[in-house]
Amino acid sequence: RSGELATARAAAKMGICMSLSSLASSSIEEVSEAAAGGLRWYQLNIMSDQSVTRNMVSRAEAAGYRALAVTVDQPVRGRWYQDMRQKLSLPSYVRPANFDIAYAQLHGLKSSHNDITSIIHLILKIITCPGLSWDYIDWLRSITNLPVILKGILSVQDAKEAVKHGVSGIWISNHGGRQLDTVPATIEVLPDIARAVGDKVEIYVDGGIRYGTDVLKALALGAKAVFIGRPVIWGLAYNGENGVTQVLELLLQELQTAMALSGCASIDDIDSSLVSHQQKIWSRL
């Protein structure tokens, strides 16, 4: 029931950035209070209702968040077959805290009924924007002084266009592979995007980061930092805040070991020579 709060405290303890989802069950303000000294970004979903966007951006600024990570790969919801097969549902106590607050402030009412199905349908309607275009990014940058980072970029063309529109960072992500089937793995597109725009903006990546060696490879191929999702959930399920701390400590220890065994005394020593693509290996046989 306090997953985001526990995660925020663990991340702050480890000196690691936490990106809070718009769909979190704890509000922007609650997470800020739980980890006042931590580095926090706000992961902003694209919404057709710009008044809700303004509300959330203003609240993130006031609560000390340092950047907006804008999810751009969900103008419509993909076909999440696994959720459909499992008939995914949420417990009654889980509510979209940020939307409840936004609607209360804007309209003086709660965002939805007590029926959890109604909540889900409302959220899915709010957080999609079929008419999404680069104009939205320009508008967003005009209403905030926070750095804008685009999350969900998978092509060099989009990365270059994002730079033209003044974004501060590119977050390479494929939404856990759930939005569009058969899209490439993020690690596969990272090198080309890093070569194309890595000298202009910072590059981040998520997806499949499970070991310290995964972090090492991502840094070697041009990422400034990596983000993790499922390992944090596993840590929460295991032992709450302490479980998340253990996951983060383990990744850091594994990265330090991998660096030492690769001859890297510092992050600056990590480069692409540490990574060989499978195709290169097979071509020698």
Side-chain angles (χ1 to χ4, degrees):
R1 300 189 182 203
S2 59
E4 294 94 355
L5 304 183
T7 301
R9 287 191 289 262
K13 187 189 309 179
M14 293 293 295
I16 290 173
C17 176
M18 176 191 176
S19 184
L20 179 69
S21 170
S22 295
L23 302 179
S25 59
S26 297
S27 72
I28 293 168
E29 295 80 9
E30 288 171 333
V31 171
S32 179
E33 292 171 7
L39 173 60
R40 298 176 307 281
W41 292 359
Y42 185 58
Q43 186 178 323
L44 181 69
N45 279 78
I46 297 293
M47 290 171 277
S48 52
D49 186 342
Q50 292 187 338
S51 67
V52 178
T53 300
R54 279 184 181 273
N55 176 278
M56 291 190 177
V57 169
S58 297
R59 288 166 52 207
E61 290 175 335
Y65 288 71
R66 300 287 295 277
L68 299 175
V70 184
T71 301
V72 295
D73 61 353
Q74 199 175 18
V76 297
R77 181 175 168 84
R79 302 289 292 176
W80 294 19
Y81 289 113
Q82 188 170 1
D83 289 356
M84 295 176 190
R85 285 194 297 268
Q86 295 176 347
K87 295 182 171 58
L88 178 68
S89 62
L90 298 174
S92 59
Y93 58 78
V94 175
R95 294 190 62 87
N98 290 314
F99 287 95
D100 273 354
I101 292 173
Y103 269 75
Q105 291 179 349
L106 291 167
H107 307 297
L109 46 81
K110 286 286 186 179
S111 64
S112 64
H113 311 293
N114 291 325
D115 175 25
I116 199 66
T117 302
S118 298
I119 294 174
I120 293 172
H121 284 305
L122 176 64
I123 290 174
L124 294 180
K125 182 178 179 181
I126 292 172
I127 67 170
T128 56
C129 184
L132 176 64
S133 71
W134 291 103
D135 291 340
Y136 185 99
I137 304 304
D138 295 335
W139 171 79
L140 182 63
R141 290 188 62 241
S142 75
I143 67 168
T144 182
N145 291 320
L146 292 178
V148 172
I149 296 153
L150 298 195
K151 177 180 181 291
I153 298 295
L154 284 176
S155 73
V156 169
Q157 180 181 356
D158 283 345
K160 288 181 176 179
E161 192 67 25
V163 171
K164 290 180 184 178
H165 286 266
V167 305
S168 299
I170 300 293
W171 184 337
I172 300 172
S173 176
N174 63 13
H175 219 102
R178 294 170 295 173
Q179 268 296 89
L180 180 62
D181 218 7
T182 74
V183 294
T186 53
I187 196 72
E188 293 284 354
V189 300
L190 169 60
D192 288 342
I193 292 177
R195 280 192 293 268
V197 300
D199 59 336
K200 300 177 179 66
V201 295
E202 292 188 346
I203 308 293
Y204 317 107
V205 67
D206 68 20
I209 305 295
R210 301 292 182 266
Y211 300 97
T213 48
D214 297 327
V215 180
L216 180 68
K217 286 180 280 189
L219 298 179
L221 294 175
K224 180 73 172 180
V226 303
F227 283 86
I228 59 172
R230 286 172 188 162
V232 169
I233 295 175
W234 299 334
L236 284 169
Y238 166 62
N239 195 22
E241 177 184 337
N242 290 334
V244 177
T245 301
Q246 286 179 264
V247 167
L248 297 176
E249 287 176 338
L250 183 59
L251 276 174
L252 179 59
Q253 292 164 4
E254 290 176 348
L255 173 61
Q256 291 170 336
T257 299
M259 288 174 59
L261 294 176
S262 301
C264 299
S266 71
I267 294 293
D268 291 336
D269 294 330
I270 301 174
D271 61 35
S272 60
S273 66
L274 296 176
V275 181
S276 291
H277 197 282
Q278 179 178 334
Q279 290 177 346
K280 292 183 180 179
I281 298 174
W282 284 111
S283 66
R284 297 174 185 170
L285 298 180

